[in-house]
Amino acid sequence: MNDRSLHPESLMMSYGYNPEWSEGAVKCPIFQTSTFVFKTAEEGKAFFEVAYGKRAQRANEKMGLIYSRLNNPDLEILENRLTLWDGAEDCAVFESGMSAISTVLLEYLKPGDLLLYSSPLYGGTEHFIQHVLTQFGVRIARFKTGQSEAQLDEVVRATGCADRLKMIYIETPANPTNDLIDIECCRRIADRFSTPDSRVMLAVDNTYFGPLWQHPLKHGADIVVYSATKYIGGHSDVIAGAVLGSFEVIKRIKALRTFLGNMAGPWTGWLLLRSLETLKPRMETQARNARHVAEFLARHPKVGRVNYLGFLDESDPVRYALFRKQCTSGGAMLSFDIKGTEKDAFAFLNHLRLIKLAVSLGSTESLAEHPATMTHCDLDDAEKEELNITERLVRISVGVEHHEDIINDIAQALEHVHPAVETDVYDITSKELEPV
Ligand SMILES: *Cc1c(COP(=O)(O)O)cnc(C)c1O
């Protein structure tokens, strides 16, 4: 069933696979093989010519399987299905989100080039940019959410090497505060610094809201990257990554993947094919639950600011317009300040029973963590303050459990919070519900 006019959720069980290839098996088997047999030497020669880019693929020429570092049915079918959600031409899957991200950065940035990136980024990405890319002579500049288009232009110019800008790399919504970055605005900046023979690439890490609730390629991004460990895998049992974009982009990414050897294995591919069948119902349940949880938190006397995108409305017209343009849901990630100090945030986390105290996100089970001392501990105090990552902030990834059970667990854990001082910061940018 290869009819792209159907909805993605209808195609996740069948797209790109024919049971006749595998003894009528309704599901694609795990192709646990390192190499594939050629029918003839001529066929082997033809496959290699295309795989190594020695000549273009001829019309109606079927690309054959060679060796599982280059291609494998579990990966190819997974890649074809992943393109459907984002409306991408092609996809490449990796053994982790970090391998997808580092391969994109290494492919598109050369010594002397300039990378502009948003802050905060996922900690591993920020580390790779600051401590690895710079060792190869890549120059870097960062900007914060909330800076205007003119300010971003100025950040680029202030580097003194604006003519070497080669990539803008962003994460939106930002983790853990749900701040939004305007993807179309980043496209305009990329275009301003592009020349006829050098396009400034715009890459978006869409892990937090994709592939269901945000589609950056439709807003001008060239490249979308995922940690497929999160919503795409969705069961906290596999590490994987993906890159999506045009045929031209993915051809380059797959070429470097072949030589770095960081492709996903067939077992990972098979697990993700299985996960994709339930992607939409899982994410929709999580988003519904998150709204219940956010509304409960916003009314709770021991809770201060709640960062949840589903609360945006006409009272904050600029952010609301951006949210409506880019996102189709409030998502299932939220963070909130517990009134008090780190000790009170820890008391809450230590008393959760159903919700697990762990990093990661997007999985079937609800998870809670403390960004300031866990996922974002690498930021210095000034950066944390700037980004509202307070000692009181708790992040929750809402799962598929019954929402009443999640809320009851939060309620009982909050009973163990007895702040000595009620520190509370109200922010005009986040909406508070009236206490009931
Ligand atoms: C988890 C995560 C990554 C890294 O992915 P891995 O699969 O752990 O390598 C990258 N970006 C974001 C936003 C993430 O949440």
Side-chain angles (χ1 to χ4, degrees), residues 94-101 121-125 169 171 173 175 205-208 225-230 238-242 360-361 395:
F94 288 82
E95 198 50 48
S96 69
M98 277 315 303
S99 56
I101 292 164
L121 286 181
Y122 178 72
T125 309
Y169 185 99
E171 238 176 79
N175 172 10
D205 183 333
N206 202 34
T207 303
Y208 228 59
V225 297
Y226 284 108
S227 167
T229 310
K230 313 298 165 52
V238 61
I239 300 274
S360 199
L361 61 100
R395 185 188 81 179

Side-chain angles (χ1 to χ4, degrees), residues 216-277:
L217 297 174
K218 294 178 182 144
H219 299 282
D222 299 295
I223 301 173
V224 166
V225 297
Y226 284 108
S227 167
T229 310
K230 313 298 165 52
Y231 288 105
I232 293 172
H235 294 72
S236 297
D237 57 5
V238 61
I239 300 274
V243 180
L244 292 105
S246 65
F247 290 123
E248 202 188 322
V249 164
I250 300 303
K251 195 173 158 202
R252 285 182 62 172
I253 295 298
K254 280 190 176 167
L256 185 55
R257 185 185 70 174
T258 290
F259 300 109
L260 292 176
N262 54 2
M263 71 298 155
W267 178 246
T268 296
W270 184 87
L271 267 176
L272 292 181
L273 283 174
R274 186 177 167 140
S275 290
L276 278 184
E277 298 189 6

Side-chain angles (χ1 to χ4, degrees), residues 355-370:
I355 302 175
K356 297 288 174 289
L357 173 53
V359 298
S360 199
L361 61 100
S363 185
T364 44
E365 72 285 321
S366 295
L367 298 175
E369 65 113 3
H370 187 250

Side-chain angles (χ1 to χ4, degrees), residues 273-294:
L273 283 174
R274 186 177 167 140
S275 290
L276 278 184
E277 298 189 6
T278 56
L279 179 84
K280 191 171 182 191
R282 277 189 281 115
M283 289 184 78
E284 284 182 343
T285 304
Q286 288 173 264
R288 246 190 340 268
N289 283 348
R291 173 166 287 282
H292 288 294
V293 171

